[in-house]
Amino acid sequence: MASREEQIDSLPVHQRPSPRELGRRSEAADNPFKSDKQAAAPNLKPVADTQLEMPPLVTSTLQKQRRVIAAVDAHAASLGLFPGMPLTQAKAMVAGLDARDADPVGDGRELERLALFAVRRWTPTAQVDAPDGLLMDLTGVAHLFGGEKAMARRLIGFCHRIGLDARVAIAGTAGAAHALARYGKERIAICSVQGELEAINRLPVAALRLDDRQRSAAQRLGIERIADLIAMPRAPLGRRFGASLLHRLDQAIGRVGDPLVGIVPFELPQVLRVFAEPIGSAETIARVMANLADDLARTLRERGLGVRLLRLVCERVDKEEQIVTVGTARGTRDIGHMLRLLAMKIETIDPGFGIERMRLLALRSEPLAPTAIDADLGMDEEADIALLVDQIVARLGQGAIYRPTMCESDVPERGVGRIAPLADAMPWPTLWPRPARILLRPERIDHVMAELPDQPPRRFVWRGVAHVVVRADGPERIRGEWWRRRGESYAVRDYFRVENERGERFWVFRRGDGENLRSGDLSWHIHGVFG
Amino acid sequence: MSTAPRPHRLQALIAEIQAIAPVSRADVPCLPFGIPIVDDRLAAGGLARAALHEIAGQTVALGDDAAATLFTAGIAARASEGDIFWIMAQPDLFAPGLACAGVPATRLIQVEAGKDDDALAIMEEALRHGALAAVVCEVTRIGMTATRRLQLAAEEGNTMALLLRRWRRSAQDPLGQPSSALTRWRIGCAPSDPLPVPGVGRSRWQVSLVRQRGGHPDNWLLEGCDATGRLAVPAEPRRRSATPKRGEDRQAA
């Protein structure tokens, strides 16, 4: 019996006899999807060979009205797909291919981030080698990481941790390293000193950073290896392919210099003052603040920046830090303005036993070009509201000052948005009368006498006061926004403008259209007061 | 006889008084209402631009408060080109409603100051800043000294200062205490004219000038702000309410 079961198990899934054929009719049939999941689960556990589990992944770009593969993963490459292949052909070859759009801009951004990280962590000079590489100058650096080989291994390990598949080549010239990293046999290629020529001899011509025209011309002439190029006389080569090919070749084998243009990380503009004696009095702190603001303004002017977020850090004798942060509505390097904002917060600084270092940093800054002074030498200058806004923000906080703007909603509570005080607002249409004061939440009104379906109330009681309606206007029907909440799908509010015998005007509404109970419970509410 | 030097003395006295009192019809730039019966009664021929004015609702009722709000908005809208600061204690102002009285969102900047002290300090800063068309501040309580400071700030920054006095629950008259505002106003709702068809017409307000420096109090029945912030005289004068008793108004101020 056991041997029969083993036989059945050894069969592929689709060839196994069904339970019915085996005579087990009492067995309950499983949910087909449930059984799928159970079948998939044990397969996922041993992640020995993820390539077999994940569908082959390729990215594609549009090239002359057809989609062409831009990059392939290892699994796709093992199936015979390669960059430059038409996507339709690839899809015909491989069923279940995972094809996605390439994102060269995003790739470039990520590479730049990686280069910035490399500058901080690995080497002072790093450069993005578009579209898929990073050039790092290891001169005088490798020994800090245990030699070139160890460093290359650590680089690959780091890339693996952040989810990248990397290849590293170390060579005397950038061109040779570029060629070896892309076309070399090993994952880590280390070129011996002066050995660039031998190292890249066997590599294809495309490794030389050539343009498309040169590459296809070389292919047409049957020049495959770099060795073939080197063996040819230089003068006809230059005439046929252009001088840039010779230049690239010379760069790769070290005959011509190929300097790296290192990426420069943005450094926060900051200034520092250290005191011989700890300071504590408010006047001294204010004086140092003035000096720091002066220095920072100079730094910002040299770099063409204006500060948006300013932080003053006071380091006390007991290593506690007192931090004051102020923001500005527009980039500025005006000393007086920065000082005024800082001075408003000066009482929050607790000097303790004394402050021994003070640091002023521009946490966030934006480009600020010098502006021309008008012909009247700035005598009759319009005062800038941004300065006033900053003072108010420093006093009350960020949310306290705003400009109202129209939001695209007919529901009154949602129709008013808030934007920054210096932003441009969208105006409301003035076609419909709207109240001057609005209640934060609509309030229920009682004892309402009104005819259905669309008559205004005749009288109502609000906050214990009875109002007799003399004149009324309406209804203005506002429907619920079904795309926001399910409960609003059928909701209706009928708004009326009513005037009582004293002349006071109210904005009242009834929930529901008076015909369909799903639209509301016919309760009356007051929402605002007209002038 | 010493009749000859008297004109000189008189002129000297006039010059002295003019130096003390900054308000006079001739040299102070002012904002007329555009309604002759109101402008003629105002000492400067309108509201002085660089000065403090106080506005309150007639009663504690919310309708009167809303009328005072729109009256203030109308003045601020016409004050001059530029942004309007609206400093408030509670966020119950409805900006679309102000847009109907001539203050579009593109000119309005709202400031939420929880306490009266903060509100007044910000108002003073905004007035001294000088780039704004008008600064409106909603307060319940303010002392004589504070109004004096605001008046000086308004003169210095050449900005119109509008104090919107709101009633508290305790029903204490906000215009009960003295203040150094140039004019003090009380706005109340009045029944509007019935239209020939069902509906609500233009709102109508009882506008009382309860005190002004260098002039007499008065009281009018006017039609509310239109979309540019202008008031108007009702079309039919015979429908006006009875003339008010001036003695009471003066006492209230």
Side-chain angles (χ1 to χ4, degrees), chain B residues 10 85 90 94 125 133 194 228:
Chain B
L10 195 62
F85 253 52
Q90 317 143 355
F94 197 47
E125 261 172 32
T228 56

Side-chain angles (χ1 to χ4, degrees), chain B residues 142-230:
Chain B
I142 184 169
M144 180 73 184
T145 323
T147 54
R148 183 79 196 131
R149 283 184 70 104
L150 291 179
Q151 169 65 31
L152 290 173
E155 279 173 22
E156 189 186 308
N158 198 15
T159 309
M160 185 175 261
L162 299 166
L163 263 189
L164 183 57
R165 305 295 304 274
R166 304 193 73 179
W167 286 73
R168 301 174 78 196
R169 285 275 166 80
S170 58
Q172 198 180 18
D173 185 2
L175 298 188
Q177 274 92 37
S179 106
S180 65
L182 245 59
T183 57
R184 306 183 95 182
W185 301 80
R186 236 187 247 286
I187 316 294
C189 292
S192 65
D193 245 2
L195 296 177
V197 289
V200 182
R202 190 169 173 181
S203 56
R204 198 166 276 192
W205 299 335
Q206 191 69 47
V207 176
S208 320
L209 172 62
V210 291
R211 186 184 166 277
Q212 66 167 323
R213 207 188 287 173
H216 294 288
D218 208 336
N219 154 357
W220 305 271
L221 184 69
L222 297 175
E223 291 202 319
C225 284
D226 62 3
T228 56
R230 290 186 182 281

Side-chain angles (χ1 to χ4, degrees), chain B residues 85-131:
Chain B
F85 253 52
W86 200 293
I87 303 160
M88 36 191 204
Q90 317 143 355
D92 60 348
L93 190 74
F94 197 47
L98 290 195
C100 298
V103 181
T106 47
R107 287 183 63 193
L108 183 65
I109 295 177
Q110 285 174 271
V111 183
E112 271 177 33
K115 286 177 288 185
D116 276 2
D117 292 346
D118 278 340
L120 291 174
I122 287 168
M123 186 181 190
E124 203 181 314
E125 261 172 32
L127 285 172
R128 284 189 204 281
H129 186 260

Side-chain angles (χ1 to χ4, degrees), chain A residues 383-385 391-392 395-396 400-404 418 428 430 434-438 471-472 499 502 504-505 531, chain B residues 63-64 69 83 85 88 92 94 97 99 105-106 108 110-112 122 125 129 131 138 166 192 199-201 203 205:
Chain A
D384 188 4
I385 292 184
Q391 285 175 30
I392 293 173
R395 183 189 286 271
L396 293 179
I401 177 164
Y402 54 88
R403 195 187 277 280
R418 295 175 174 191
W428 286 275
T430 50
R434 287 288 179 262
R437 296 277 176 193
I438 196 158
R471 277 172 279 278
E499 181 177 320
R502 262 200 73 223
E504 292 181 74
R505 293 166 173 219
Chain B
D64 291 345
T69 306
D83 283 334
F85 253 52
M88 36 191 204
D92 60 348
F94 197 47
T106 47
L108 183 65
Q110 285 174 271
V111 183
E112 271 177 33
I122 287 168
E125 261 172 32
H129 186 260
E138 297 175 2
R166 304 193 73 179
S192 65
V200 182
S203 56
W205 299 335

Side-chain angles (χ1 to χ4, degrees), chain A residues 368-379:
Chain A
L368 179 66
T371 48
I373 302 176
D374 293 340
D376 55 1
L377 296 177
M379 287 302 287

Side-chain angles (χ1 to χ4, degrees), chain A residues 358-426:
Chain A
M358 274 169 79
R359 212 162 65 215
L360 189 64
L361 328 85
L363 272 192
R364 190 141 40 85
S365 46
E366 61 185 25
L368 179 66
T371 48
I373 302 176
D374 293 340
D376 55 1
L377 296 177
M379 287 302 287
D380 208 19
E381 206 175 0
E382 272 276 302
D384 188 4
I385 292 184
L387 308 184
L388 180 62
V389 169
D390 292 345
Q391 285 175 30
I392 293 173
V393 168
R395 183 189 286 271
L396 293 179
Q398 195 72 48
I401 177 164
Y402 54 88
R403 195 187 277 280
T405 185
M406 186 186 75
C407 289
E408 287 189 350
S409 171
D410 288 324
V411 180
E413 300 95 309
R414 296 179 188 146
V416 184
R418 295 175 174 191
I419 49 174
L422 298 182
D424 287 328
M426 286 270 286

